[in-house]
Amino acid sequence: MPRSPLPPREGISATALRAPGGKATHAKNHLPVPDSIGEWLESEFPEAAPESRRALLTDGDLRDEAGHPVTWDDPVIPGGFYFFHRPVPPEERIPFEVGIVFEDDDLLVVDKPHFLASTPNGRFVRECVVTRLRVDLDQPDLVAIHRLDRITAGLLVLSKRPETRGRYQRLFQDRKVHKAYRALAPAPPADMEFPLVRESRLVKPVGGRQVLEVEGEPNAISRIRLVRAVPSISGPSPTATELDIAVGAPPRRGDPDLDPRDRTRGEDEAPPRRGVAEYELEPVTGKTHQLRVHMNALGLPILGDPVYPVDLVPDPYDFTSPLQLLAAEIAFDDPLTGVSRRFESGLGLDPAAVGSDPGETR
């Protein structure tokens, strides 16, 4: 698709629309070409009011791919691209700010907060990182070059210049970028060994929100490492022995906090309590919800997840239980200079979100 001749308006990119017909292969090349722009818009938007369709030419500033304004009676270019600004209603502000981690002539690396979308998507067009920063920094060419779920916080890399954007996008496409995440989830059972690799086939059913693990050749791979146990702020701090139990360490000989019953507990018996632990997650592949699905499949759903194991259909403006998943580190060799780059998030996981029950958040 050609680049839009229209610059973003209020940080929002113009919408592209392709006309029927033409020689190139596309979804509408088999359809007859309308006699005029007006006739085409009437068939393209049959449910819109007549004044709304005509407003695409005036308020929307409809133009062809060469940047020429078009009128209602102009002929349609078969298979041609047209661009216009669609009306976007106001959106209630997401009350969290974007932090700048790094910036040079080509890249902008930011810390995205929980609940703020990375790019315009569905309900959120104005309230996303890209639209906000295009306006706040007066950088209309900003584009996110990888994905980060709306409810996940942490590092997001944006391209500032179209001329160099493809080189950086290719790094992510070719899996030449190291990404590490941190997560809070229930502490594992004593017989679960770390580090581990989870491989499975993930499929997202049409119309569904949950991504499912199904039989078949794996298309998603995650490396998972246990980092440490995390005490719950709502209950008494665990003893050193309890922390060791949570991360699978052997009992400490002579530990004054060790209950006599724990000294005689067999290796096959369950620990006295199951707390919360911090994990390092490395997605080898980049499937939608991959880390969240893999942790849930292990019986370790990430705290605050509104979709796994049960889809709670949350209100997007309910900020009470942030997902305890953080894009903590990104590293790659710069394709322009060859210099090794490594960025770390300035954000952290929130122990205050951990309740007395590992599956409870507040």
Side-chain angles (χ1 to χ4, degrees), residues 292-361:
R292 296 160 63 187
V293 174
H294 279 173
M295 288 294 286
N296 181 59
L298 291 170
L300 307 172
I302 298 174
L303 300 188
D305 197 325
V307 179
Y308 305 96
V310 177
D311 187 353
L312 303 176
V313 193
D315 179 349
Y317 282 94
D318 180 358
F319 310 124
T320 56
S321 295
L323 176 70
Q324 294 305 296
L325 178 62
L326 174 70
E329 179 184 320
I330 288 182
F332 56 85
D333 291 336
D334 193 293
L336 304 182
T337 65
V339 174
S340 294
R341 294 186 181 272
R342 181 174 177 271
F343 305 107
E344 292 185 352
S345 173
L347 303 176
L349 299 171
D350 184 9
V354 181
S356 58
D357 181 334
E360 174 189 342
T361 56

Side-chain angles (χ1 to χ4, degrees), residues 227-245:
V227 177
R228 66 186 180 98
V230 178
S232 169
I233 65 166
S234 62
S237 298
T239 66
T241 299
E242 289 172 324
L243 293 177
D244 284 343
I245 291 173

